[in-house]
Amino acid sequence: MSVLDDIISGVREDLSVRTAEAPLAQVRARALDRAPAADALGALRGDGRTLSVIAEVKRSSPSKGALAAIADPAALAARYEAGGAAVVSVLTEQRRFHGSLADLDAVRTSVDIPVLRKDFTVEDYQIWEARAHGADLVLLIVAALSDAQLEHFLGRTHELGMNALVETHTAEEVERAAAVGSRIIGVNVRNLKTLDIDRAVFADLARRIPQDAVTVAESGVRGIGDVEEFAAQGARAVLVGEALVRGEDPEAAVAQFRAVPVRDLPGLQQR
């Protein structure tokens, strides 16, 4: 069993508990009672000149273990926003990342910018649940979904006025993401089966992403040098967790990353 398979198995077990406690009808009602979702796509497109930053509230990871205690996720998110983050990402997977929906609730009340619910989406329920807790985006991992699931889940997010960060790892997954009309496509340079990092994969996959989609570089950011490299290779946004939660001044780090200019690359496909 791969690491991704193992994580999803745990996600399904935890999901079964939540669905028993809060039936879909109840979660749907809460989701539909929320104020409209924020425009995450517009936030990530930004001014078109400098990089957008998705700053992550992340306590732990399968590859590194404990990263930071983060006693006050709301305060951390507020610092991200003050630094100019376009989006705050909140891990809600509890077994490997030690996140929770309570973290999502806390962050939602502390910032005005869009919030990404970062989890392993395998059921429609989770998208309704994300909106019920105020998320504006969800994560859809192409490697974890069939084409039919990917299209359905993406449609559900749009139906609820939300957006999805559609995560890819291979050229074939980029093609699948583009085929269903994904507007925000991430390239994760971490192999979710082995957890190895290979930053070299980003440049090739970024060129395959349709020009009208927002290209997001995920994982592997150690500092400003990696951010600049991803931007030079076509990233319009970068998702950063570990480097921020382990750093001394997350607000200043976000501001530094946010100032990196983006670069237009030739040869990007059109839809």
Side-chain angles (χ1 to χ4, degrees):
M1 178 182 287
S2 72
V3 174
L4 178 60
D5 292 334
D6 185 52
I7 292 173
I8 289 176
S9 177
V11 165
R12 289 190 180 279
E13 288 182 22
D14 296 337
L15 182 57
S16 68
V17 173
R18 296 201 306 278
T19 55
E21 294 174 346
L24 178 58
Q26 177 182 326
V27 174
R28 280 171 54 101
R30 288 178 55 204
L32 295 174
D33 195 45
R34 299 281 318 197
D39 180 12
L41 179 61
L44 289 173
R45 283 180 171 156
D47 61 12
R49 298 188 299 273
T50 58
L51 205 64
S52 294
V53 177
I54 304 174
E56 193 153 82
V57 176
K58 183 178 186 179
R59 290 192 175 89
S60 183
S61 76
S63 61
K64 297 289 184 68
L67 300 175
I70 311 182
D72 191 345
L76 177 60
R79 293 187 71 183
Y80 289 159
E81 183 176 30
V87 171
V88 175
S89 170
V90 183
L91 265 302
T92 59
E93 195 280 333
Q94 59 194 61
R95 299 190 182 209
R96 297 295 192 98
F97 295 90
H98 297 166
S100 68
L101 287 166
D103 286 347
L104 180 60
D105 291 336
V107 169
R108 177 69 286 168
T109 62
S110 70
V111 299
D112 293 323
I113 57 177
V115 175
L116 164 66
R117 190 241 178 125
K118 185 95 174 289
D119 211 315
F120 296 77
T121 304
V122 291
E123 296 289 344
D124 209 45
Y125 181 96
Q126 293 163 283
I127 300 174
W128 287 102
E129 186 179 51
R131 184 83 279 271
H133 285 267
D136 307 290
L137 302 92
V138 296
L139 177 70
L140 300 179
I141 301 174
V142 176
L145 304 171
S146 68
D147 288 343
Q149 287 175 314
L150 181 60
E151 184 172 23
H152 173 72
F153 291 160
L154 187 62
R156 179 68 75 203
T157 65
H158 294 164
E159 174 190 326
L160 293 177
M162 305 167 71
N163 280 284
L165 169 57
V166 180
E167 180 175 295
T168 66
H169 302 82
T170 67
E172 185 251 348
E173 290 177 9
V174 171
E175 290 179 6
R176 291 177 57 200
V180 296
S182 302
R183 301 169 183 169
I184 306 167
I185 300 179
V187 174
N188 193 337
V189 300
R190 184 184 300 281
N191 185 316
L192 289 186
K193 295 181 179 179
T194 67
L195 299 184
D196 294 333
I197 289 281
D198 182 2
R199 293 174 187 83
V201 306
F202 181 80
D204 174 59
L205 298 190
R207 290 182 177 276
R208 301 172 184 269
I209 293 175
Q211 199 168 26
D212 58 348
V214 175
T215 301
V216 182
E218 302 180 55
S219 299
V221 171
R222 297 162 295 189
I224 187 63
D226 293 322
V227 173
E228 290 172 337
E229 183 174 3
F230 283 141
Q233 294 169 343
R236 287 291 186 269
V238 62
L239 189 154
V240 188
E242 180 181 344
L244 295 178
V245 300
R246 284 187 160 176
E248 295 182 357
D249 191 341
E251 181 178 333
V254 169
Q256 184 185 38
F257 298 163
R258 175 71 182 84
V260 172
V262 298
R263 179 181 174 188
D264 290 325
L265 297 180
L268 292 171
Q269 298 175 5
Q270 298 288 338
R271 289 189 194 272

